[in-house]
Amino acid sequence: MSTLAEIESAVEALPARQQRKLLDRLTAKLSKPLPGKAKLSLHDRMKDFCGIVNSGIPDLATNKKHMEGIGRSRK
């Protein structure tokens, strides 16, 4: 089986009881963490996507006007 459609049709051909058993086993398998793998933080999971969106807004830290008063106490 190489496509999702082939897998779906094979599962649909099973009796309902076997479909439920298969779903239960897949759910249990997918909910367990992989052995030897530490739980990943959200950042670890998303790090490949960090910084890929260009909002069109330049970095405000490079604009001196936006940095005025930063680090100084307010009086």
Side-chain angles (χ1 to χ4, degrees):
M1 290 181 233
S2 60
T3 67
L4 181 58
E6 290 173 337
I7 294 169
E8 287 175 337
S9 64
V11 170
E12 288 171 357
L14 294 172
R17 183 174 180 212
Q18 287 182 337
Q19 287 182 17
R20 280 191 300 275
K21 282 176 101 174
L22 178 62
L23 179 61
D24 291 343
R25 290 182 71 187
L26 285 171
T27 302
K29 183 78 169 173
L30 293 174
S31 65
K32 291 182 187 176
L34 295 174
K37 299 280 182 175
K39 271 194 159 181
L40 297 176
S41 68
L42 178 59
H43 174 72
D44 289 336
R45 292 176 190 217
M46 299 299 295
K47 67 182 172 185
D48 292 340
F49 302 100
C50 291
I52 64 170
V53 176
N54 183 0
S55 67
I57 300 172
D59 183 5
L60 297 178
T62 61
N63 187 330
K64 291 184 181 189
K65 180 182 172 188
H66 293 287
M67 297 300 292
E68 288 176 8
I70 299 294
R72 298 187 187 122
S73 62
R74 295 183 186 193
K75 291 185 179 183

